[in-house]
């Protein structure tokens, strides 16, 4: 049975499913729409169609049906005060990052706040009954509608009115009565304008009949009477009936203001401010005409570009009016909307990335930037963040705490996008045909090229309506739970001694034994869980190599050996191993909070792993850690160790724990049980955790971070050791450091000596050159350099092979010497390892027939090697060190011809 069938089934029995006391008291009539046949309830005798098919659809634009005007913030105050005076508790919103459900990244509706999944059953847990909550809800399926339709948002405030029918709460009659009075009394809408339409709503594994309420064609809310569980064709009654009324606060504000779009009244003064900055002439009559047509056409066409095309035609807008007014104003709406969603998501700890829920955040920021570029809008993103947080302060004061963090994250992400642009340009320039939706998805998935960028680059003019919904589906994939293959049915829960006295030696009864596996009636062996590795030890002398939990039954795996069912066995837990793992576990909590306080509020535990001799903590963070950050995190962690703080463990009812400590307790993920175990390290760190912990932080002795690494977009891994392992590591590290620093010192010393020598040579060289060129005719010795001077205008020869001169000296002197005396040939010979090498310079005059290259070749032959070069400079050498005098004599003969 599908939704339509179940609706018609419910509608055949309106007395049972839809008729409420209010309808009788106020004289409501039940009618069927002449067009779509759906049933609706009204007190207006003249009404013939449902709100979707009436002539008054969206006639509130420019003509609101209320006497009072309320903007977004004021509208919530009205709603809240109405429900409070009618016995409801007003609850603060829950985080938009849905950490208490493993099948959702973001909170998509107010009822999600109170749903907890246990096994395959959804249970409802209400902190008060009845209650009302302004729940910010994120939805990314209709992103292309945002800014265009006048009423779609990527995040909106769902007014959640929830009740469990019992001595405190109520059921259908009172729910509809309250909603009717909210609209007519509190907001002052004429009773004749309120229409209730029969519908069915399902979600989260449960469903029920519902009444949608409309005013002037705008759906304000939907009251769902949740009473069934299962799928539509096979269902049974829930043990607990639930009133789930969800209404869009944005719409309540809009209907009282009658502005062209809901955006105009829901972002407070921000829209006006941005429009002013751009200087767009916003003729309000034109906007009213256009957006009323958009609203009407939206019901008629499924494709957004069709909706737009027809609205332009019906409203009679020129191309110029579209380009100069509508297109930029749509851009502004989109930008404000997306910024608001980013503020909520980042404040609640989500980071833009290419995985999971971060995906949508990244694409939204890129849309903001592309839209600004495409429309040449020069808004300051930080100013927009400030304006939004200031405006939302009355309803959501908590956003103040993360104001600067939101700016930091958005700036980093904007920078990243800027840096990827040249690469994206290259990819785009290679596109040779209009991309399909699948191409667009591939372009984004593998290259990060958003369709908005393609729009900015004028490659496409519209983004296909299906793009964002397809993308969002792709990334909605649920985590698959491991299926238990083992048959442990019928066994009772294992008594967990490690949560009680935690004895390291104990006796237990064998309830089941098969292959290498043993189930006991009670155990002190910690089963793998929460990233903590299992205990080892022995059962009846056999080694325990693995311990795992299946439901509430603990399974021990033995290395070898068989144990008889029904026997009582003696068990020993390896307490050294357990102690080390425990220290690592508590250290994980300490490092997690240390990282958050050093890096920023966006840091959450992503995952963790705790073994005996090493552990790691993966945290959400935008960049790789710097050395300075690592040192600061480690120091803060060790200061907590030094303070010897108490670690306390208390069990709370889940709802109580959430209200008391907030959702930060879910660092290790969701807790699928009603009672949560809260581990507190005084007020430094408070988490829900099922692992083993030290009693005092001092037991940890020391925490050492051994390595950090960015393992994926938005996630950084911190590898660390603690306890004695950390002390050993630190000792070894000191030794390594000492060795390294000694090596460094030697290197520095050598460098210094060379530097000194060079300085010395720099001063010595001009004098040396002066002395050589001043030599008289004949053979002279200047500082162990043999100088042979002939008559003016004839070649001179100069050679050096003293051990005090190195390669650098010969090159420096040769250069200078032939510069000063163009008739000079310089020949320097020196040993280099097992070789003898020669460097030859020939002056400009002498070089014409006494080429350096030739001399080097000849000398190298004598030395038993090879060489060559140019007329001016050459080098060569060989292995025969005993021939160095011969080589120089040969060179001298070549030059002087004697
Ligand atoms: Zn209809
Ligand atoms: Zn833990």
């Amino acid at each position: 049975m599908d939704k339509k069938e179940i609706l018609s089934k419910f509608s055949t029995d309106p007395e049972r499913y839809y008729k409420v006391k209010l309808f009788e008291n106020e004289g409501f009539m039940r009618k069927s729409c002449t067009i779509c046949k759906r049933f609706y309830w009204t007190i207006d005798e003249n009404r013939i169609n449902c709100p979707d098919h009436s002539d008054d659809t969206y006639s509130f634009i420019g003509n609101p049906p209320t006497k009072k005007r309320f903007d977004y913030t004021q509208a919530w105050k009205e709603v809240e005060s109405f429900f409070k005076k009618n016995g409801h508790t007003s609850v603060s919103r829950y985080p938009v990052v849905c950490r208490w459900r493993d099948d959702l990244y973001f909170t998509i509706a107010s009822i999600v706040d109170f749903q907890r999944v246990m096994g395959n059953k959804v249970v409802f847990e209400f902190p008060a009954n009845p209650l009302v909550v302004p729940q910010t809800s994120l939805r990314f399926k209709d992103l292309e509608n945002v800014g265009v339709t006048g009423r779609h948002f990527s995040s909106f405030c769902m007014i959640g009115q929830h009740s469990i029918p019992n001595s405190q709460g109520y059921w259908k009659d009172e729910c509809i009565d309250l909603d009717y009075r909210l609209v007519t009394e509190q907001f002052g809408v004429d009773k004749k304008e309120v229409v209730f339409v029969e519908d069915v709503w399902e979600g989260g594994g449960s469903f029920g009949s519902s009444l949608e309420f409309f005013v002037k064609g705008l759906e304000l809310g939907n009251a769902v009477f949740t009473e069934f569980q299962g799928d539509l064709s096979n269902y049974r009654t829930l043990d607990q009936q639930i009133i789930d009324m969800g209404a869009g606060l944005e719409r309540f504000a809009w209907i009282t203001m009658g502005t062209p779009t809901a955006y105009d009244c829901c972002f407070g003064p921000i829209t006006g401010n941005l429009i002013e900055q751009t200087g767009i002439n916003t003729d309000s009559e034109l906007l009213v005409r256009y957006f009323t047509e958009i609203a009407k056409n939206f019901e008629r066409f499924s494709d957004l570009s069709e909706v737009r095309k027809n609205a332009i035609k019906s409203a009679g807008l020129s191309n110029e009016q579209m380009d100069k007014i509508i297109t930029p104003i749509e851009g502004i709406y989109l930008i404000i909307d997306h910024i608001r969603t980013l503020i909520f998501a980042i404040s609640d700890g989500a980071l833009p990335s290419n995985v999971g829920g971060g995906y949508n955040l990244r694409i939204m920021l890129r849309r903001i930037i592309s839209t600004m570029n495409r429309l040449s809008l020069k808004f300051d993103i930080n100013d927009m963040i400030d304006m939004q947080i200031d405006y939302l302060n009355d309803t959501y004061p908590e956003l103040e705490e993360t104001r600067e963090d939101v700016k930091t994250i958005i700036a980093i992400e904007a920078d990243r996008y800027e840096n990827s642009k040249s690469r994206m340009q290259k990819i785009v320039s290679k596109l040779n045909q209009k991309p399909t939706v699948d191409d667009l998805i591939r372009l984004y998935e593998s290259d990060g090229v958003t369709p908005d960028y393609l729009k900015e680059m004028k490659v496409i003019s519209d983004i296909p309506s299906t793009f964002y919904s397809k993308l969002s589906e792709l990334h909605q994939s649920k985590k698959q739970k491991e299926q238990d293959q083992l048959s442990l049915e019928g066994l009772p829960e294992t008594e967990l001694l490690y949560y009680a006295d935690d004895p390291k030696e104990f006796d237990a009864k064998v309830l089941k034994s098969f292959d290498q596996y043993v189930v006991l009636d009670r155990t002190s062996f910690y089963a793998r869980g929460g990233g903590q590795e299992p205990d080892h030890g022995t059962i009846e002398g056999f080694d325990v190599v693995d311990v795992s939990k299946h439901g509430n039954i603990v399974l021990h795996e033995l290395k070898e050996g068989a144990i008889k069912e029904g026997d009582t066995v003696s068990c020993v837990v390896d307490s050294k191993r357990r102690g080390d793992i425990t220290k690592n576990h508590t250290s994980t909590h300490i490092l997690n909070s240390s990282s958050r306080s050093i890096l920023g509020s966006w840091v959450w535990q992503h995952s963790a792993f705790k073994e005996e001799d090493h552990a790691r903590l993966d945290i959400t963070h935008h960049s790789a850690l710097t050395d300075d950050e690592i040192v600061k995190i480690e120091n803060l962690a060790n200061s907590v160790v030094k303070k010897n703080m108490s670690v306390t463990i208390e069990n709370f009812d889940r709802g109580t724990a959430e209200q008391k400590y907030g959702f930060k307790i879910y660092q290790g993920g969701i807790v699928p049980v009603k009672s949560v175990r809260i581990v507190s390290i005084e007020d430094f760190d408070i988490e829900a955790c099922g692992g083993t912990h030290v009693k005092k932080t001092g037991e940890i002795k020391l925490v050492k971070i051994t390595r950090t690494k960015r393992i994926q977009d938005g996630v950084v891994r911190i590898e660390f050791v603690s306890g004695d392992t950390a002390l050993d590591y630190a000792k070894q590290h000191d030794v390594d450091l000492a060795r390294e620093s000694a090596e460094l010192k030697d290197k520095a010393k050598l460098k210094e000596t060379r530097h000194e020598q060079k300085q010395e040579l720099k001063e010595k060289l001009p004098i040396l050159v002066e002395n050589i060129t001043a030599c008289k005719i004949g053979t002279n010795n200047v500082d162990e350099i043999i100088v042979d001077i002939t008559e003016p205008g004839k070649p001179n020869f100069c050679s050096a092979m003293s051990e005090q001169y190195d390669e650098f000296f010969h090159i420096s002197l040769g250069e200078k010497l032939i510069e000063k005396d163009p008739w000079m040939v310089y020949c320097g010979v020196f040993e280099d390892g097992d070789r003898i090498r020669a460097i030859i310079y020939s002056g400009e005059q002498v070089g014409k027939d006494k080429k350096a290259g030739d001399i080097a070749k000849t000398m190298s032959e004598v030395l038993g090697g090879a060489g060559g070069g140019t007329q001016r400079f050459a080098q060569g050498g060989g292995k025969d060190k005993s021939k160095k005098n011969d080589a120089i004599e040969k060179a001298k003969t070549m030059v002087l011809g004697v």
Side-chain angles (χ1 to χ4, degrees):
M1 211 179 267
D2 64 7
K3 203 187 138 182
K4 223 173 145 189
E5 288 168 315
I6 199 111
L7 172 59
S8 64
K9 183 183 168 189
F10 285 175
S11 281
T12 54
D13 191 0
E15 291 287 329
R16 157 77 174 87
Y17 292 102
Y18 296 107
K19 195 168 181 184
V20 290
K21 272 204 186 109
L22 176 87
F23 293 168
E24 211 166 292
N25 296 346
E26 294 280 331
F28 270 78
M29 292 161 274
R30 183 171 187 256
K31 299 187 177 188
S32 172
C33 175
T34 62
I35 295 171
C36 69
K37 309 289 180 238
R38 281 177 74 180
F39 291 97
Y40 62 92
W41 297 76
T42 177
I43 58 167
D44 183 358
E45 288 163 10
N46 300 321
R47 182 175 288 277
I48 54 163
N49 283 334
C50 80
D52 282 345
H53 299 109
S54 298
D55 294 336
D56 67 348
T57 293
Y58 286 79
S59 60
F60 68 90
I61 296 180
N63 182 25
T66 57
K67 287 192 192 69
K68 284 193 195 146
R69 309 276 168 263
F70 303 115
D71 76 352
Y72 192 63
T73 311
Q74 295 157 344
W76 169 246
K77 295 285 163 221
E78 290 299 312
V79 172
E80 187 186 36
S81 79
F82 174 81
F83 281 109
K84 272 169 107 170
K85 75 185 173 212
N86 284 290
H88 292 66
T89 303
S90 176
V91 175
S92 297
R93 74 166 175 102
Y94 280 44
V96 300
V97 181
C98 193
R99 295 185 199 278
W100 56 96
R101 289 272 296 264
D102 66 357
D103 54 345
L104 288 174
Y105 292 122
F106 295 107
T107 309
I108 54 167
S110 58
I111 192 67
V112 170
D113 294 354
F114 317 112
Q115 288 173 332
R116 297 294 177 274
V117 182
M118 293 174 78
N120 45 20
K121 216 175 133 192
V122 174
V123 298
F124 294 91
E125 288 175 9
F126 282 43
N129 183 30
L131 64 82
V132 64
V133 58
Q135 183 55 47
T136 308
S137 305
L138 270 51
R139 292 184 185 179
F140 302 107
K141 270 193 184 140
D142 301 323
L143 276 194
E144 80 278 5
N145 292 343
V146 175
V148 179
T149 63
R151 60 179 147 125
H152 284 91
F153 294 84
S154 57
S155 64
F156 66 101
C157 171
M158 183 181 275
I159 302 164
Q161 171 199 358
H162 301 288
S163 161
I164 297 170
N166 58 19
S167 56
Q168 296 137 22
Y170 50 80
W171 185 232
K172 281 184 218 179
D173 289 336
E174 196 172 344
C175 170
I176 294 301
D177 186 62
L178 283 164
D179 295 337
Y180 187 61
R181 289 200 286 125
L182 171 70
V183 177
T184 55
E185 288 169 18
Q186 194 78 14
F187 280 84
V189 174
D190 187 341
K191 290 180 174 181
K192 254 169 105 173
E193 297 293 354
V194 186
V195 181
F196 291 92
V197 178
E198 295 181 1
D199 203 1
V200 165
W201 200 88
E202 64 157 331
S206 52
F207 67 97
S209 55
S210 78
L211 285 168
E212 295 175 318
F213 49 101
F214 288 77
V215 171
K216 298 263 183 201
L218 182 68
E219 184 194 338
L220 289 178
N222 187 13
V224 185
F225 316 123
T226 308
E227 56 180 322
F228 303 111
Q229 178 169 269
D231 61 53
L232 295 175
S233 23
N234 179 22
Y235 58 87
R236 58 184 181 86
T237 310
L238 276 169
D239 333 329
Q240 197 177 43
Q241 291 172 316
I242 299 286
I243 288 292
D244 172 17
M245 196 296 289
L249 180 62
E250 280 77 2
R251 294 178 173 202
F252 270 81
W254 192 18
I255 200 119
T256 76
M257 301 289 269
T259 47
T261 71
Y263 315 126
D264 300 302
C265 56
C266 293
F267 297 114
I270 309 158
T271 324
N273 179 300
L274 297 188
I275 290 174
E276 209 172 287
Q277 282 188 48
T278 54
I280 305 169
N281 173 21
T282 49
D283 171 355
S284 83
E285 191 277 325
L286 178 146
L287 293 183
V288 166
R289 200 159 19 112
Y290 175 74
F291 281 106
T292 309
E293 284 304 325
I294 280 280
K296 285 186 173 170
N297 280 287
F298 191 76
E299 302 300 333
R300 286 178 211 149
F301 302 96
S302 57
D303 187 79
L304 194 63
S305 58
E306 284 295 304
V307 173
R308 220 167 162 265
K309 221 189 286 169
N310 281 284
I312 296 167
K313 215 163 98 191
S314 329
L317 260 58
S318 67
N319 283 342
E320 205 197 333
Q321 285 169 320
M322 284 308 292
D323 294 347
K324 293 237 164 89
I325 303 171
I326 303 296
T327 304
I329 219 167
E330 284 171 341
I332 288 174
Y333 293 148
L334 178 150
I335 291 165
I336 311 180
D337 166 89
H338 284 20
I339 294 249
R340 184 171 76 175
T341 302
L342 286 169
I343 290 173
F344 276 107
I346 296 170
S347 288
D348 289 350
L351 285 179
S353 73
N354 58 15
V355 287
Y359 212 88
N360 296 300
L361 307 185
R362 170 162 290 170
I363 213 163
M364 277 205 288
L365 184 67
R366 295 185 170 196
R367 285 195 95 196
I368 293 172
I369 297 171
S370 283
T371 305
M372 290 212 277
N373 291 343
R374 175 169 55 89
L375 302 170
S376 310
L377 302 170
K378 306 229 175 318
F379 303 138
D380 185 306
I381 293 188
N382 284 345
D383 282 352
M384 290 193 281
I385 296 170
D386 280 332
M387 282 191 280
Q388 296 264 19
I389 294 180
D390 290 344
Y391 180 62
L392 295 168
N393 187 52
D394 267 351
T395 318
Y396 304 113
E398 69 278 9
L399 297 176
E400 186 60 51
E401 283 169 41
T402 42
R403 185 191 286 259
E404 296 310 314
D405 287 347
V406 170
K407 289 183 193 171
T408 305
I409 296 297
I410 290 189
I412 289 169
E413 186 62 19
D415 230 39
R416 257 183 208 149
Y417 181 52
E418 219 41 63
N419 292 335
S420 66
K421 271 202 170 155
S422 61
R423 195 178 50 81
M424 293 196 326
Q425 250 157 20
K426 258 184 225 151
I427 293 163
V428 170
S429 68
K430 280 184 198 145
L431 293 176
N432 42 23
Q433 60 187 34
K434 200 176 162 221
T436 63
V437 176
D438 286 337
D439 291 338
L440 289 177
I441 287 179
R442 210 167 27 244
L443 275 168
Y444 185 62
E445 296 274 64
S446 52
D447 300 308
V449 178
T450 59
D452 295 272
Y453 179 72
L454 297 174
K455 206 170 153 187
E456 181 193 334
M457 294 285 109
K458 301 199 167 61
V459 176
I460 55 173
S461 55
D462 282 305
I463 298 168
S465 328
T466 48
F467 175 79
Y468 287 109
S469 53
K470 259 196 170 174
L471 194 68
S472 153
E473 266 163 41
L474 272 175
H475 289 269
Q476 209 97 85
S477 67
K478 294 172 185 176
K479 283 178 220 159
Q480 288 298 323
K481 278 201 179 139
E482 228 176 279
Q483 284 293 322
D484 273 341
Q485 305 286 342
L486 302 157
S487 160
L488 297 170
E489 254 164 61
L491 289 175
E493 284 184 14
T494 310
E495 187 189 345
L496 304 176
L497 300 174
Y498 51 83
Y499 284 157
D501 295 345
D502 196 17
K504 299 299 177 298
E505 286 179 33
F506 63 98
D507 289 341
K509 211 172 136 198
V510 180
L511 299 184
K512 197 173 171 79
S513 173
F514 58 101
D515 304 330
Q516 274 87 250
Y517 300 102
V518 181
V519 178
L520 305 172
D521 63 340
R522 50 189 222 140
T523 190
S524 221
F525 282 95
Y526 181 83
R528 177 182 290 105
Q532 177 171 338
E533 286 296 281
D535 282 341
H536 290 173
T538 56
I539 293 178
E540 209 58 18
F542 298 115
D543 284 341
V544 175
V545 290
D546 197 10
V547 187
S548 53
K549 217 171 157 192
H550 303 259
N552 290 317
I553 298 161
V554 175
L555 193 67
H556 307 79
E557 185 184 342
L558 305 180
K559 197 176 171 191
E560 54 185 351
I563 282 172
K564 264 213 335 258
E565 280 175 23
D567 279 2
T568 295
V569 285
S570 64
C571 312
V572 182
V573 173
D574 177 344
S575 53
K576 158 98 174 51
R577 173 182 162 85
R578 160 73 86 74
D580 289 344
I581 293 179
T582 298
K583 286 179 190 115
N584 280 341
H585 196 146
T586 308
S587 301
T588 310
H589 288 218
I590 295 174
L591 279 171
N592 191 27
S593 272
S594 300
S595 303
R596 188 176 315 110
S597 85
I598 298 297
L599 302 172
S601 62
W602 54 81
V603 170
W604 281 74
Q605 175 176 311
H606 178 264
S607 54
F609 178 81
K610 287 83 86 164
E611 237 304 3
E612 187 178 5
D613 53 352
H614 68 284
R616 59 175 185 256
L617 165 69
D618 295 346
I619 55 167
T620 55
H621 183 55
H622 49 72
S623 310
L625 300 185
T626 65
D627 290 346
D628 184 49
E629 286 164 344
I630 297 168
V631 169
K632 281 184 177 154
I633 293 168
E634 195 180 274
N635 286 347
L636 179 55
N638 282 316
S639 78
V640 172
V641 171
K642 237 187 222 135
K643 279 181 195 150
N644 202 19
M645 289 183 178
S646 299
V647 182
T648 49
I649 292 165
E650 279 174 286
N651 285 294
F652 287 97
D653 172 66
R654 180 164 47 199
T656 312
E658 287 169 3
Q659 293 294 315
K660 192 172 156 96
Y661 299 113
F663 289 85
K664 277 217 161 73
I665 57 170
Y666 293 134
Q667 293 289 333
I670 45 151
V671 177
V673 287
K674 274 199 97 153
S675 168
V676 284
R677 188 169 177 263
I678 295 291
V679 177
S680 320
I681 303 172
E682 294 185 4
D683 52 8
F684 180 74
D685 180 87
I686 298 164
E687 294 180 28
C689 174
T692 61
H693 289 277
V694 299
K695 290 200 166 59
K696 288 283 217 173
T697 56
E699 293 169 39
I700 293 169
K701 296 179 189 166
L702 184 70
V703 179
K704 284 304 278 182
I705 296 175
T706 53
R707 199 163 84 119
T708 71
K709 195 175 148 201
R710 193 160 176 249
I711 54 164
Q712 78 179 47
D713 206 3
V715 180
V716 172
R717 171 163 295 171
I718 299 175
E719 293 176 8
F720 66 94
V721 286
S722 70
D724 289 333
T725 317
L727 290 174
D728 289 347
Y729 177 86
K731 233 183 265 162
Q732 186 55 42
H733 194 64
D734 285 347
V735 172
D736 290 349
L737 264 188
R739 202 194 58 228
E740 262 172 42
S741 87
E743 277 171 9
L744 271 181
K745 247 188 215 155
D746 285 350
K747 269 188 194 158
K749 212 170 175 186
L750 200 67
K751 214 171 149 190
E752 208 178 297
T753 326
R754 284 217 184 113
H755 184 72
E756 277 168 16
Q757 281 171 344
K758 275 183 191 172
Q759 275 309 112
E760 212 177 288
L761 186 61
K762 223 172 163 185
E763 287 157 20
K764 190 176 167 184
L765 215 56
I767 304 160
L768 211 52
V769 171
E770 199 58 47
N771 290 345
I772 290 171
T773 49
C775 285
K776 303 238 162 59
I777 295 176
T779 302
N780 310 270
N781 186 327
V782 181
D783 271 355
E784 293 190 78
I785 300 161
I786 312 301
V787 188
D788 284 292
I789 302 294
T790 61
E791 319 164 18
K794 289 263 172 73
N796 297 320
F797 186 77
C798 196
S799 66
M801 54 178 198
S802 158
E803 274 177 19
Q804 65 166 315
Y805 300 129
D806 62 0
E807 181 177 10
F808 180 72
F809 172 86
H810 296 304
I811 287 175
S812 309
L813 179 62
E815 283 276 353
K816 289 270 178 294
L817 213 49
I818 63 165
E819 207 176 284
K820 184 101 184 190
D821 179 2
W823 287 98
M824 179 66 81
V825 170
Y826 177 77
C827 183
V829 173
F830 61 99
E831 285 187 23
D832 184 8
D834 59 351
R835 280 167 52 87
I836 182 100
R837 287 176 57 196
I839 281 177
I840 298 103
Y841 278 93
S842 258
E844 209 183 334
Q845 292 295 331
V846 75
K848 282 170 201 160
D849 45 26
K850 317 285 180 197
K851 293 188 175 80
D854 296 340
I855 299 167
K857 214 174 148 195
T858 307
M859 285 178 78
S860 301
E861 273 164 23
V862 176
L863 295 167
T870 64
Q871 175 185 316
R872 184 175 171 276
F873 169 74
Q875 53 182 328
K879 287 204 161 170
D880 198 347
K881 289 182 186 176
S882 65
K883 295 275 169 60
K884 64 181 175 186
N885 279 317
D886 295 352
I888 285 181
E889 279 311 309
K890 192 93 189 185
K892 189 173 165 182
T893 317
M894 278 176 82
V895 176
L896 302 180
V898 183

